[in-house]
Amino acid sequence: MGQWAVAVLVLGLALASAPLPAAVAAARTAPYAAAEGHPGVHLSRKEAGKGGTVTVTGRGWRPKALLTLLICGQNMIGGTNSCANGDGRAVTTDAHGGFRKRLPVAEPPKPCPCVVHVATVTGEAADADAAFKVAGHPVAPLPQESTGGRLTVLAQPRLAGSSGLLTWFGAPAQRQLTLTVGNLGSAPARDPVFRVGTSHGVFAPEWEEQQWRGTVPAGKKAEVTLPVELPAGAHGDYLVSLEYGGKVLAEQPWGVGRPWGVTLFWVLLCVVVPAAVFRVGMAIVDRVRPRRTGGTRRHPAGRPHTTGRRRAAGIGQRIRNRTASEGSTADPGTPGDSAGLPWFTPDTAPSTTTSTERPTSKGSA
């Protein structure tokens, strides 16, 4: 009877222990099944110093997706600018959306609290964070977010608009910066304030705050349009930057042509003004210069210049003076006396063929 009791006890224990492997397997797979569609991250340790490693395990990610693993400070409020990007790692998920990767521990540029940030590189955006403490790294309070939303750029920004005729003459160039932003935070972003900056060459950008009127709901996207203006006469290669929440969201190059109208204006000014001054000066000199009553006037080049009327008048005057002097010195009755000469007209002059003497009668003495 004792042997039968022992056998029944052993059989009962065997039957009771039979479902345990299945239950354990179900317990292991249940969390991953519940997290499917919502990526999750698990760390092998919660704290490590610089130079150590931490194993990152993930489940529920998109199959065959490329992921980045980073250690970030300030809970990654400032975006990837607060992460140790140089010590990050990349991993590709398997066919079931899982991965396992060792990540070296590095000190991020921002103080803790720190997280291990995992995000997709291509395809549909997805990310997950796991709290992690970097031993020996400073800790500071988290900055306050004023707008409650976390915006990011989803599409390449573009500059819309064109330059007019006034821009060709040095007027300020204007464009419209258009981009699509998405809210990755848990709260809507109402009337966000952006900072638009323009920089030229190696100079730092000049920032200007601009408020966009509208609301970007959590998990939604919206198209934002902001005006951009350059100083008068600006030309060359410029870079337009957009900043929000202390993070640069986008940068767009902008090539501005030279205002050739201003150059043409200065060229004409340098030609017309000297010519006008020269003409005014010559007119003043011609008006102030004394005029000669007679004789020969010479040009500045030294060549004689006389008019035909003055030349004829001078010749006639000399002939009259010479004739008057000859007539005054000759004796009366001489051929040189111009006063005693019989001046005739062609009609009254005596004929050379007729004789003035009366013919004598025949036989007269």
Side-chain angles (χ1 to χ4, degrees), residues 68-310:
T68 57
L69 287 70
L70 299 172
I71 296 179
C72 306
Q74 289 185 343
N75 284 351
M76 203 190 168
I77 291 179
T80 55
N81 292 334
S82 59
C83 302
N85 299 304
D87 297 297
R89 291 294 183 266
V91 64
T92 303
T93 59
D94 55 24
H96 302 286
F99 70 90
R100 183 182 179 88
K101 186 71 174 180
R102 295 182 65 183
L103 177 66
V105 178
E107 294 185 354
K110 300 292 184 179
C112 287
C114 301
V115 294
V116 174
H117 178 73
V118 183
T120 56
V121 178
T122 58
E124 185 179 357
D127 61 81
D129 297 334
F132 183 73
K133 183 178 180 181
V134 179
H137 193 61
V139 179
L142 294 176
Q144 298 295 327
E145 290 186 285
S146 58
T147 58
R150 193 174 70 183
L151 301 181
T152 185
V153 176
L154 303 179
Q156 181 68 24
R158 63 184 185 277
L159 290 173
S162 60
S163 301
L165 181 61
L166 295 180
T167 306
W168 202 67
F169 283 93
Q174 298 177 350
R175 291 291 189 275
Q176 296 290 332
L177 179 63
T178 304
L179 68 162
T180 302
V181 298
N183 188 358
L184 302 180
S186 58
R190 296 182 177 90
D191 298 335
V193 178
F194 297 92
R195 295 182 66 198
V196 179
T198 55
S199 59
H200 180 58
V202 297
F203 297 99
E206 298 180 1
W207 298 100
E208 178 184 1
E209 290 189 354
Q210 298 186 15
Q211 187 175 20
W212 181 74
R213 297 295 180 178
T215 301
V216 184
K220 301 295 183 179
K221 63 181 180 179
E223 187 175 72
V224 177
T225 300
L226 301 171
V228 183
E229 182 176 337
L230 295 179
H235 62 276
D237 295 329
Y238 281 80
L239 184 65
V240 181
S241 304
L242 182 68
E243 183 181 279
Y244 175 76
K247 174 185 176 183
V248 178
L249 299 182
E251 293 180 343
Q252 179 67 22
W254 183 9
V256 184
R258 181 181 294 273
W260 292 107
V262 179
T263 305
L264 180 61
F265 171 77
W266 285 110
V267 170
L268 293 178
L269 189 65
C270 294
V271 173
V272 173
V273 171
V277 172
F278 176 76
R279 294 293 299 273
V280 172
M282 291 302 298
I284 294 175
V285 170
D286 187 64
R287 184 176 292 275
V288 174
R289 182 177 52 187
R291 297 182 178 277
R292 297 183 181 181
T293 57
T296 303
R297 185 174 63 185
R298 294 181 176 273
H299 282 293
R303 298 192 305 172
H305 174 73
T306 57
T307 61
R309 182 176 297 179
R310 290 186 178 182

Side-chain angles (χ1 to χ4, degrees), residues 347-361:
D347 296 335
T348 60
S351 175
T352 57
T353 57
T354 59
S355 176
T356 58
E357 295 180 1
R358 179 177 293 183
T360 59
S361 61

